Amino acid sequence: MMWRYWLAGWLVSVSFACAAGSGPATMDLLRRPEYERVAISPDGALLAIAHREDGDTTVTILRRSDLHQVAQISTGGHGEFGRLSWMGSDHLLIAANRDTGPYHAPIFDPILYLVDIHKKHPLPMPANFFGTIHGDDHHFLIRECKDFSKDHECRFSLWREDIDQWLDKGQELAVAPLGDASMMVDHAGVVRFAWAWSKTARSQLFVRSDSGQWSSLNDSDATHVDEVPVGISRDNKTAFLERQRTDGPDVIESYDFASGKRTELLSDPVSDPLGIIFSMDGQEPIGAWFGPGRPQARYWAPNSDDAKWHRALVKAFPGNVVSVPSSTADGSTIVVFTYSDKDDGTWYLLDRVTHKASLLFHARPWLDPARMAAMEPFEFKARDGLTLHGFLTRAQGVNGPAPTVVIVHGGPYFVADDWNFDQEAQLLAANGYSVLQVNFRGSAGFGLPFMRLGYRQWGMAMQNDVTDATRWAIAQGVADPKRICIYGASYGGYAALMGVAREPGLYRCAIGLAGPYDLSKLYRWGDIHRSDYGMHYLNEVLGSDKAALVADSPVSRASAITVPVLLAHGELDGRVPIRYALAMRSALKKAGHPPEFVQYDWEGHGLSDPADMQDFYTRMLAFLATNLGPAQGSGSAVGAGGGNTKVGGGN
């Protein structure tokens, strides 16, 4: 079918291929996307495509003129590609890792390769590779440990190396003024910024002058906020910074290198910047997306050519978030990527001269976006008057109040539910369950003060927010009050069990995946406490009152949990060891309400293996059908009740 859009006064033709069929099969929603990345070469002659093939990610390089395959690179061994970018039109940078033995997730650090399309074998890049310089096809950047700071952290130096003379020492560009720092270079390869967080979460940002002198731009000990650079203008005269505020959401500022003048460019009364919008050539920030519901694009120079083009793309693909991940050197041809709550991602190739866009790939071509459920933003006031935001995905094929699953996100800090393609929500909606997701206090995306409202509120105000959202859904006639289950992973697993402990009449069941069910053990079990920064974090967000931590833990409230519970955990979870789940199971057994329990061998903090994911979600659907009643189109049952199961055993 052919759609025609007016793109800011320019006619653009876009070809779409629509999927056929009567709706997604249950497990089709869990399949990994087939297409993951697309990058066009600077001269526009080649396309590099990262796609799934036989369980691995493969990069195929095609000649645009006739779609002839020029080269193909495979990781082998269930590998993953984490980076795909051109370095000139003859070389491609790719980062790859893979799993090993029985492990179900890639466990090696990514190895960066430089692929010469005219040669057979890719060349491994140095392990200390840092980046490239815009427009420079002959040099790359590495960083080395110069010396150590007073905090015993490595101070990095940044070097420029010739791509053809790796054995030469190269040129040292700058040495960071503090330990363990990130750095940013401008488009001429000049080091401009360095920033880092200390073991006590102290944030420092330094700027480097034309003469090479470092000066402090922000110190959170004085300002009580963090600040990081997000990009530099093409002419290298202006930087763009995202700065926290003590009285509201983050803002975007410009910083003039010559004068040091700062100017606030964009802010929102509710939402942090959710993502930076870049120019059509990907080199310069031009705006940001803001929430709290469906992201809205805003620009600080709305009449600039780049802003006009991006605004036109947003209009051409209504209901989508739009970005330009790759372009030719002259910007005449760009790769456009779109996604929405109903589409996990689609790539187009747009000729900016003819104004014609052609469809390249759907990330999940077997799914029809028209048959997906919408993710509806909502807001309400919690019991203490705090305004909260969230998303509702309605059950498909259900009229009136529906059986509902409340999903609590993990984190709980620096994480949020956002508007995108959520395969869990789609899976449940396709099987007749509405899904409620709330960004309780402490969630990211609403500013530093909102996040801090969640500190030391595990099981208390944060839990009240989830409860209040559930009661809101009942009052709105969305959720059937007798058919609600609560589910989450990591922190969400903790909150699911706390939910049924504190509100025995509100939820009919609970599902916890990889949850820390005993807060007092976070100082002893897992990996968070093993670093100074981790200990500082735990003291900041949990406190050290052991009696309170015990009291606010589901494992201590097992006698109050009388509804059915499904617990799932990976045997090799290092962040939240399986000991938490075993202790929760024992406590529930002792209380006379044994849970259904499943242990996944060779899985870590979450599930990676497709077979394990299929097993877990099939169990979830069976568990929901048993405890909330049959739902439309629910999957086949896999034993429900107080049984124990081990799944896995290696590849």
Side-chain angles (χ1 to χ4, degrees), residues 102-104 569-578 599-606:
Y103 299 100
H104 293 325
H569 219 102
E571 185 182 23
L572 301 182
D573 192 338
R575 175 55 46 91
V576 180
I578 196 171
Q599 171 180 325
Y600 292 99
D601 295 343
W602 307 107
E603 293 282 12
H605 193 53

Side-chain angles (χ1 to χ4, degrees), residues 21-94:
S22 58
T26 295
M27 296 310 161
D28 279 348
L29 286 160
L30 301 179
R31 289 170 57 188
R32 279 277 300 267
E34 181 176 351
Y35 294 97
E36 299 180 344
R37 289 176 177 82
V38 179
I40 190 170
S41 61
D43 62 6
L46 302 172
L47 285 174
I49 304 152
H51 57 102
R52 299 290 292 178
E53 191 171 286
D54 298 327
D56 301 326
T57 304
T58 297
V59 172
T60 299
I61 301 174
L62 299 178
R63 192 163 55 211
R64 279 184 61 204
S65 59
D66 57 7
L67 299 183
H68 172 74
Q69 180 177 307
V70 174
Q72 190 170 71
I73 307 99
S74 176
T75 60
H78 303 286
E80 306 279 353
F81 282 111
R83 175 174 179 158
L84 186 67
S85 60
W86 288 94
M87 190 174 176
S89 296
D90 294 322
H91 293 88
L92 188 69
L93 280 169
I94 58 174

Side-chain angles (χ1 to χ4, degrees), residues 100 113 173 191 273 278 288 312 333 342 344 380 392 493 605:
T100 181
Y113 294 95
L173 302 179
V191 181
F278 284 86
T333 305
K342 296 184 176 184
D344 198 23
F380 72 102
L392 171 67
H605 193 53

